Amino acid sequence: MIVLGILGTGIAARTAMHTATHSLQLAHPGTDDEGFQVVFVSQKPGTSTLGGHDIMSAAEFCALEAETKYFNPAIADSRHRKQAATLMLHQGVSPLSLSDPSTLILPDVTMEPGWLLPYLNTLNSNVRIGKYFHAGVSTTVSHHNEIGDYVTFGHRVACSGNAIIEDHVTICTGAMVMQGKPDKPTRIGEGAVIHANAIVIGDVVPGAHMAGNPAKPVDPIQLFGGEPW
Amino acid sequence: MVTIGLIGIGGVGPEFMPQIPWSLEHFNPELLQQNPRLVYVESESETDHYAGHEVMSLDDFKALPPEETCFNVGIADGSARKHLSEELESHGFGLLGIYHSRSQCLAHTPPGPGILLGRAGISVNSTVGRSLLVLGASLIGQNCALGDYVTIGSQVCIEHTHVGDFAQVWNGAIVTPGTADKPRRIGQGAIIGMGAYIDEDVPDGAVMVGNPSRELRRNPVS
């Protein structure tokens, strides 16, 4: 039995579930669908199944007897994603990258393992992407982009050419990053958050929260009335 | 030997190069039977190969026999597309339209030559001029009339809209539709910036940005 544990039970995990069988077949061509088992892994108590799949605790998943065991951290928050992935790697479980058949990856794209690419994503040529990249639906990553580790994109994000997206950056739904020049790429600093529908037209300092069109730095506590992340 | 040259290895060219075999199969099967070679054309390239295809300089490309050579220009700037395509057509080279394998073109009249249609759709009752470039996830809805050398970015949906020659509508811009008897007009050479929100007609040469949009400057229209 080949087991895939999808870490989390949220919207990202449910999206990941739809891509699971296709991705397992890519990793193990020729294996029958009966040979795969896909489970959710969650720390939160509650129902024991979700959409016909078992929900396990991390301890139960690690103790599970299987021929091959994979995990994918389908958690939108990049810090939690890193935590969960590190835990699983310590337990000797290997990451599985999940992509939907409708996702288009053009030549010259290098990616570290552990990504999640659901429907209708496009990765153009000459893109480098770090580990555990996480995209929403219908995102576009254009040419000559460098994307770091644990980067999260929401739905309909468009990242134009010549941009450097550092580790742990979150780009929310509908936001866009304007293209840089080959000798001066647009740089989004580590841990920055680009809020929904923001249009980023220049460099973003590490840890900044940007909102609006054109995007300006905002105070997240003022914006949301509390600590959002 | 038939050669198909795609000019430019910046952003647009590599996006369309992998789509050429599908496009030929569906739109130019007679060319596909001749087993054409696909090359990039770029004069300032440092490499002679790029993503599995040969890179030629423009001068070498022009030296090829015109009757066996087709081309398209993968450059986002409409004036550059006009300049290069007219020059090469005057030498007798054929301008070849390229369609993405997931594109759909239901245009009322056949689109003008040299279309570069990405993962996008053109709806019924629309007309499209010469050398249109549309990137991914866009929709040219019904009753649109697009001029020559228009550039549409990704995630743009327009409907009941007339777009002038050389206009550029960039990623995620929102253009509120006009009506069937009074279409929205985007002027000649206008540039709609990324994510701009347009709810009025745009004059010729205007550069519109922001939400709500404001006119950043007015370029001279030649």
Side-chain angles (χ1 to χ4, degrees), chain A residues 102-116:
Chain A
S102 64
T103 281
L104 185 70
I105 301 177
L106 295 187
D108 260 7
V109 174
T110 48
M111 299 175 81
E112 300 286 326
W115 67 80
L116 169 60

Side-chain angles (χ1 to χ4, degrees), chain A residues 123-182:
Chain A
L123 305 181
N124 275 346
S125 340
N126 291 87
V127 174
R128 272 193 285 157
I129 296 181
K131 51 193 177 186
Y132 303 107
F133 175 63
H134 194 141
V137 171
S138 196
T139 69
T140 312
V141 178
S142 221
H143 60 102
H144 293 107
N145 279 314
E146 276 182 42
I147 295 180
D149 299 339
Y150 305 103
V151 170
T152 313
F153 281 12
H155 305 312
R156 294 188 290 105
V157 166
C159 185
S160 302
N162 293 312
I164 297 176
I165 316 261
E166 293 183 353
D167 300 353
H168 291 285
V169 167
T170 300
I171 304 186
C172 301
T173 300
M176 292 180 187
V177 179
M178 208 150 144
Q179 70 270 34
K181 296 202 169 67

Side-chain angles (χ1 to χ4, degrees), chain A residues 5-172:
Chain A
I6 293 177
L7 313 186
T9 51
I11 185 81
R14 290 164 208 223
T15 317
M17 185 56 81
H18 289 281
T19 65
T21 316
H22 173 74
S23 306
L24 281 165
Q25 271 164 351
L26 282 182
H28 296 272
T31 309
D32 205 65
D33 278 9
E34 305 294 314
F36 301 133
Q37 191 194 353
V38 187
V39 297
F40 288 106
V41 180
S42 172
Q43 305 288 23
K44 288 179 188 155
T47 52
S48 59
T49 62
L50 179 66
H53 298 276
D54 293 340
I55 301 180
M56 294 181 173
S57 72
E60 279 172 337
F61 177 68
C62 292
L64 200 66
E65 289 290 325
E67 180 192 330
T68 315
K69 244 190 309 187
Y70 291 113
F71 75 95
N72 188 289
I75 302 165
D77 185 293
S78 68
R79 310 274 164 195
H80 288 161
R81 189 151 85 240
K82 183 177 182 180
Q83 226 172 13
T86 314
L87 182 90
M88 284 295 153
L89 288 172
H90 275 302
Q91 297 292 330
V93 187
S94 43
L96 181 73
S97 310
L98 301 180
S99 35
D100 190 76
S102 64
T103 281
L104 185 70
I105 301 177
L106 295 187
D108 260 7
V109 174
T110 48
M111 299 175 81
E112 300 286 326
W115 67 80
L116 169 60
L117 290 166
Y119 325 104
L120 295 174
N121 287 290
T122 308
L123 305 181
N124 275 346
S125 340
N126 291 87
V127 174
R128 272 193 285 157
I129 296 181
K131 51 193 177 186
Y132 303 107
F133 175 63
H134 194 141
V137 171
S138 196
T139 69
T140 312
V141 178
S142 221
H143 60 102
H144 293 107
N145 279 314
E146 276 182 42
I147 295 180
D149 299 339
Y150 305 103
V151 170
T152 313
F153 281 12
H155 305 312
R156 294 188 290 105
V157 166
C159 185
S160 302
N162 293 312
I164 297 176
I165 316 261
E166 293 183 353
D167 300 353
H168 291 285
V169 167
T170 300
I171 304 186
C172 301

Side-chain angles (χ1 to χ4, degrees), chain B residues 28-40:
Chain B
N28 311 81
E30 73 292 345
L31 265 178
L32 191 66
Q33 279 166 10
Q34 298 176 50
N35 200 13
R37 66 173 176 150
L38 310 179
V39 297
Y40 286 107

Side-chain angles (χ1 to χ4, degrees), chain B residues 129-204:
Chain B
R130 228 179 106 85
S131 205
L132 170 72
L133 165 63
V134 187
L135 300 179
S138 290
L139 177 70
I140 314 296
Q142 55 176 334
N143 293 334
C144 287
L146 274 59
D148 298 338
Y149 307 103
V150 170
T151 304
I152 308 279
S154 58
Q155 301 176 4
V156 174
C157 298
I158 57 173
E159 202 173 40
H160 293 302
T161 301
H162 289 188
V163 183
D165 301 348
F166 301 102
Q168 304 180 4
V169 184
W170 283 108
N171 303 2
I174 298 165
V175 181
T176 58
T179 55
D181 49 339
K182 193 183 175 301
R184 172 82 52 236
R185 283 182 194 283
I186 294 173
Q188 205 179 332
I191 298 175
I192 315 290
M194 255 187 184
Y197 178 84
I198 303 292
D199 58 355
E200 284 178 345
D201 288 0
V202 177
D204 291 356

Side-chain angles (χ1 to χ4, degrees), chain B residues 1-6 17 20 24 31 34-41 54 56 60-72 93-94 96:
Chain B
M1 185 179 194
V2 176
T3 306
I4 295 174
L6 190 50
M17 184 60 102
I20 293 180
L24 291 178
L31 265 178
Q34 298 176 50
N35 200 13
R37 66 173 176 150
L38 310 179
V39 297
Y40 286 107
V41 181
E54 190 189 329
M56 277 184 157
D60 288 349
F61 185 72
K62 279 187 207 160
L64 294 171
E67 62 279 5
E68 289 186 358
T69 311
C70 296
F71 74 98
N72 204 321
F93 296 102
L96 178 80

